[in-house]
Amino acid sequence: MDTEFDSFLTELQESGELLGGEALGDPAGAQLVRWEEGPVISSGPYAAPGEHLAGMFFIQAGTPQRAEEILARFASPGETVELRPIANM
């Protein structure tokens, strides 16, 4: 499975669709910042028990349909994959 996924990432990189990605550390060390008349920092993680964000990939798909095709190849049994647009800052 890892070889197949590595090949898929290579395919996305060669097509110019993979813009980057990063693995994240243990969610137990996360901190959450909320704004309550100023920043208030509390221990994380933000995710619900039993869930955590393991990492992210930045993909530039030409169409929403292509983004969904890519997303479908990231999904595997027992996992949840989320597709989100990137906010333009």
Side-chain angles (χ1 to χ4, degrees), residues 36-61:
E36 298 174 9
E37 295 185 32
V40 177
I41 301 173
S42 61
S43 295
Y46 179 74
E51 297 179 333
H52 70 279
L53 176 64
M56 64 191 126
F57 290 94
F58 298 105
I59 305 292
Q60 181 172 311

Side-chain angles (χ1 to χ4, degrees), residues 4-87:
E4 185 178 327
F5 189 69
D6 286 342
S7 295
F8 175 53
L9 290 179
T10 299
E11 175 187 321
L12 290 176
Q13 193 169 30
E14 289 173 352
S15 71
E17 293 173 304
L18 178 62
L19 302 180
E22 194 67 44
L24 300 176
D26 184 348
Q31 291 184 310
L32 179 63
V33 179
R34 287 193 171 97
W35 192 265
E36 298 174 9
E37 295 185 32
V40 177
I41 301 173
S42 61
S43 295
Y46 179 74
E51 297 179 333
H52 70 279
L53 176 64
M56 64 191 126
F57 290 94
F58 298 105
I59 305 292
Q60 181 172 311
T63 65
Q65 293 80 14
R66 177 61 181 150
E68 290 173 5
E69 290 171 10
I70 292 169
L71 180 68
R73 292 191 57 191
F74 271 89
S76 62
E79 294 183 346
T80 300
V81 181
E82 185 174 343
L83 174 63
R84 287 187 174 189
I86 297 175

